[in-house]
Amino acid sequence: MMLSFFDQFMSPTYMGVPLIALAITLPWILYPAPTSRWINNRLLTLQGWFINRLNQQIFLPINQGGHKWAILLTSLMIFLITLNILGLLPYTFTPTTQLSLNMAFAVPLWLATVIIGMRNQPTAALGHLLPEGTPTPLIPVLIIIETISLFIRPLALGVRLTANLTAGHLLIQLIATAAFVPLQMMPTVAILTATVLFLLTLLEVAVAMIQAYVFVLLLSVYLQENV
């Protein structure tokens, strides 16, 4: 029984071919395409409002040089939100529950922010490793600690997204099993459990959106330190 709970996180295959690439590619079809008309429909207007609000929240504290990342980070957040929410549908696979995929997003973007900081302002970038006013005996220890914390950042990004989504999916499956098993013997308990399952599903939709926002927000914080 315990193995079946974790089977949902295995990458699906068809004739030996992994379908994770298909699961990553297909969500792009769901996005509405812009039109050349002067007045857009409600869906495009809502999408534009959402993107504008997102850019205001993320790039307001970042100077002009960091605004070049707006398209990349906005596209990444919309893509992560889509994958996370589609993964809550029945008989679907959530690619963002795979640590390898999340690390593939986190490591290159984090490394790009570090390289930009080392190229544009190397003194300030290296200054983050040693806080001002540090006592002389603590300098080697603090440099080692700050260096370790710097290299842990991409791992924390990937593990946070993977752990939250994996825990949510496992909890939904456990409560769904608890609602289905006593359906004939104790229908009242099953109905109450199904109500809890419905509320938990709404919570997981919010978690799916919040985790994508936190992922991009932390990347913008790293960018702000190096721009």
Side-chain angles (χ1 to χ4, degrees):
M1 177 64 71
M2 294 305 297
L3 291 178
S4 64
F5 285 158
F6 291 92
D7 286 345
Q8 59 178 318
F9 304 115
M10 297 176 60
S11 179
T13 58
Y14 181 72
M15 299 181 63
V17 178
L19 299 181
I20 186 171
L22 188 63
I24 295 174
T25 307
L26 285 181
W28 293 104
I29 304 176
L30 302 176
Y31 303 143
T35 63
S36 57
R37 295 180 297 180
W38 286 10
I39 300 178
N40 293 323
N41 55 29
R42 293 183 178 88
L43 187 58
L44 282 174
T45 303
L46 181 62
Q47 176 182 279
W49 176 85
F50 174 75
I51 293 175
N52 289 333
R53 293 292 299 174
L54 171 65
N55 289 329
Q56 290 177 7
Q57 291 290 330
I58 292 181
F59 292 97
L60 185 61
I62 302 178
N63 58 23
Q64 196 67 28
H67 291 183
K68 301 174 183 177
W69 287 59
I71 296 179
L72 176 61
L73 294 184
T74 303
S75 303
L76 177 62
M77 179 176 174
I78 295 176
F79 183 59
L80 290 177
I81 289 177
T82 306
L83 289 180
N84 295 347
I85 293 180
L86 289 180
L88 295 174
L89 297 176
Y91 304 104
T92 56
F93 171 67
T94 312
T96 45
T97 56
Q98 306 295 311
L99 182 61
S100 57
L101 178 66
N102 297 332
M103 293 300 294
F105 285 135
V107 173
L109 294 174
W110 164 82
L111 187 60
T113 61
V114 174
I115 292 175
I116 288 176
M118 296 297 294
R119 185 188 65 180
N120 295 340
Q121 44 183 11
T123 304
L126 294 175
H128 291 302
L129 301 179
L130 185 62
E132 186 177 356
T134 304
T136 304
L138 296 179
I139 288 179
V141 178
L142 280 180
I143 290 178
I144 295 174
I145 293 175
E146 291 296 332
T147 304
I148 294 175
S149 67
L150 177 65
F151 284 97
I152 284 179
R153 284 179 173 182
L155 181 62
L157 280 176
V159 170
R160 180 186 293 107
L161 183 58
T162 303
N164 281 282
L165 294 181
T166 302
H169 283 67
L170 283 175
L171 192 57
I172 286 178
Q173 187 167 1
L174 286 170
I175 295 181
T177 304
F180 178 75
V181 171
L183 185 59
Q184 295 182 350
M185 297 180 295
M186 295 179 291
T188 305
V189 176
I191 292 174
L192 292 176
T193 310
T195 305
V196 174
L197 178 62
F198 174 73
L199 296 177
L200 179 63
T201 304
L202 296 180
L203 177 63
E204 286 303 316
V205 171
V207 169
M209 300 178 67
I210 291 172
Q211 289 304 316
Y213 175 74
V214 169
F215 189 92
V216 175
L217 182 63
L218 290 177
L219 282 175
S220 69
V221 171
Y222 303 155
L223 178 65
Q224 182 182 357
E225 293 179 356
N226 293 283
V227 174

